[in-house]
Amino acid sequence: MRAAVGYEPGKPLIIEDIDIESPRAGEVKVRLVATAICHSDIHALHGDWNGNFPVVVGHEAAGVVEEVGEHVTLTAPGENVVVSLLRSCGRCFYCAQGLANLCDGVFALQSESRLRNKRGELIYQGIRTAAFAEYVVVDQSQIVQVPQTIPLEKAALLACGVITGVGAVVNTGQVKPGSSVVVIGLGGVGLNAVQGAVLAGASKIIAMDILGMKLAVAKTFGATHTLNAGQDDARQVVLDLTDGRGADYVFVTVGSTTAVSQGLTLLRRAGTLVIVGMPPTGATIPLPVVDIADNGLKILGSFVGSTRLRVDVPWLVELYQQGRLKLDELITARYSLEQINEAIGKTERGEAIRNVIIW
């Protein structure tokens, strides 16, 4: 099969034919139809998370189940599915607590890979998926069926960007109706956090970015106010819009420690900061501990939107079918695999919401 392989951090991907094994017990092979490019893929390709090379990344995908291994009960060949990085055993402490996104079960694919290049060298499956390829082999818990009526290039967005952004608001932050919400960063995840705030019934949704194009797009996704983080006094604008108190919730959807520090300054007393974007390994910020304690601030981490894959994806599909969730509008452009380096470059430069590789 064809795949885009990263052999060195920060270098362009190489398009080549590689081999993929058949799925083993509990695993599923999916023929992909579409894979969207997420900033997490770019972080991984730059080596920001100390990952292994050579690697195939890509983790926001959808396709058709082609083959299943022994003991697979959650899907069957021929089904249209979303393929996610989230996998869950259903038995560990976290799964039992309803926190399947934090599962610490043991899976064969944690230490093994089903990919080899034509020289017989192992290629790692980046971000648990390896979806910059025509096929993937993943654990059965990483997929969820979607109706034949939803185009798979739209369904692919539900694998990460949508569930991460909407889920951060609805699941992690549990935003209350009538609340004021600030979203810092308006990429694919940030715009979905804006959508999540609309779904949660927030009364003020303040969208922040440094790019005017993204601020304009945020309005179409439901932002009631926008501010340019590179030009406006963000704290003063937020105070003016919230009767001098500050926001009830701030969602930081970019992997920036500076944005996290800024987010703390935008909260009201007893406000909640939700960290959604993933910074490089080892990133830290100085915490104003006295201010946090004295003001009763809450800081939450949100890993892939605290998503329950088999609950949240069908809900989001239904919202899309009802016209209450935007998916089409998230796609900036479509590319072939041979154009993937161009698509990644435009994403990295902030010129796209979601670029999608079509197989």
Side-chain angles (χ1 to χ4, degrees):
M1 68 168 183
R2 293 183 308 149
V5 184
Y7 279 94
E8 295 180 64
K11 296 295 180 66
L13 300 182
I14 295 174
I15 312 303
E16 62 180 335
D17 286 324
I18 66 172
D19 296 323
I20 185 168
E21 299 175 5
S22 293
R24 300 185 187 179
E27 298 172 359
V28 177
K29 182 179 181 181
V30 180
R31 175 179 58 82
L32 296 181
V33 172
T35 303
I37 296 170
C38 174
H39 272 280
S40 293
D41 298 314
I42 296 170
H43 280 299
L45 290 173
H46 281 301
D48 291 343
W49 298 331
N50 301 326
N52 296 306
F53 287 80
V55 65
V56 174
V57 298
H59 63 283
E60 191 169 304
V64 181
V65 174
E66 182 166 282
E67 183 182 357
V68 300
E70 293 182 343
H71 313 307
V72 168
T73 59
L74 298 180
T75 190
E79 291 186 329
N80 282 12
V81 295
V82 165
V83 183
S84 169
L85 67 96
L86 292 174
R87 58 189 174 208
S88 56
C89 68
R91 301 180 300 275
C92 71
F93 172 85
Y94 295 102
C95 286
Q97 296 295 318
L99 300 170
N101 66 306
L102 301 179
C103 173
D104 65 356
V106 177
F107 300 85
L109 289 171
Q110 286 174 267
S111 57
E112 302 172 13
S113 175
R114 304 291 173 250
L115 306 179
R116 298 289 188 282
N117 64 20
K118 293 301 183 181
R119 298 183 295 279
E121 298 167 337
L122 180 146
I123 298 175
Y124 290 94
Q125 295 184 223
I127 316 184
R128 304 180 182 176
T129 312
F132 285 171
E134 292 179 301
Y135 296 86
V136 294
V137 169
V138 295
D139 186 80
Q140 64 174 328
S141 65
Q142 292 178 244
I143 66 172
V144 59
Q145 294 88 346
V146 292
Q148 299 276 348
T149 52
I150 180 172
L152 287 172
E153 66 176 39
K154 315 293 174 51
L157 306 177
L158 299 172
C160 179
V162 178
I163 58 176
T164 299
V166 173
V169 175
V170 175
N171 296 332
T172 310
Q174 299 182 12
V175 167
K176 297 177 182 177
S179 299
S180 57
V181 170
V182 174
V183 177
I184 302 178
L186 300 175
V189 173
L191 289 174
N192 281 297
V194 170
Q195 291 205 87
V198 173
L199 292 169
S203 61
K204 287 188 176 68
I205 305 171
I206 306 163
M208 288 179 54
D209 205 282
I210 59 174
L211 297 176
M213 174 272 287
K214 292 189 175 182
L215 295 173
V217 173
K219 283 279 194 179
T220 70
F221 276 77
T224 60
H225 302 82
T226 60
L227 66 90
N228 189 312
Q231 300 174 9
D232 301 322
D233 183 337
R235 176 171 166 77
Q236 191 59 54
V237 171
V238 171
L239 289 174
D240 289 344
L241 292 171
T242 57
D243 298 323
R245 290 188 301 271
D248 299 316
Y249 302 87
V250 174
F251 294 86
V252 182
T253 69
V254 291
S256 163
T257 55
T258 300
V260 173
S261 295
Q262 182 181 41
L264 284 170
T265 71
L266 305 180
L267 287 173
R268 66 160 170 84
R269 301 192 77 188
T272 300
L273 177 78
V274 182
I275 302 173
V276 187
M278 297 291 287
T281 299
T284 61
I285 64 168
L287 283 177
V289 178
V290 173
D291 290 344
I292 292 171
D294 186 54
N295 291 308
L297 303 182
K298 295 176 283 292
I299 302 175
L300 304 175
S302 183
F303 179 63
V304 197
S306 305
T307 295
R308 302 156 299 167
L309 205 58
R310 293 184 168 271
V311 174
D312 292 342
V313 169
W315 171 61
L316 291 165
V317 167
E318 187 172 350
L319 290 178
Y320 173 70
Q321 293 173 327
Q322 294 172 356
R324 298 172 59 199
L325 182 78
K326 296 181 185 296
L327 294 181
D328 307 54
E329 296 84 352
L330 291 166
I331 298 176
T332 303
R334 298 161 179 83
Y335 295 84
S336 68
L337 180 63
E338 285 70 25
Q339 298 171 304
I340 193 168
N341 288 306
E342 177 187 352
I344 289 172
K346 289 187 175 181
T347 299
E348 191 168 12
R349 292 190 298 272
E351 298 173 9
I353 300 170
R354 275 298 190 263
N355 283 333
V356 180
I357 306 302
I358 303 295
W359 304 98

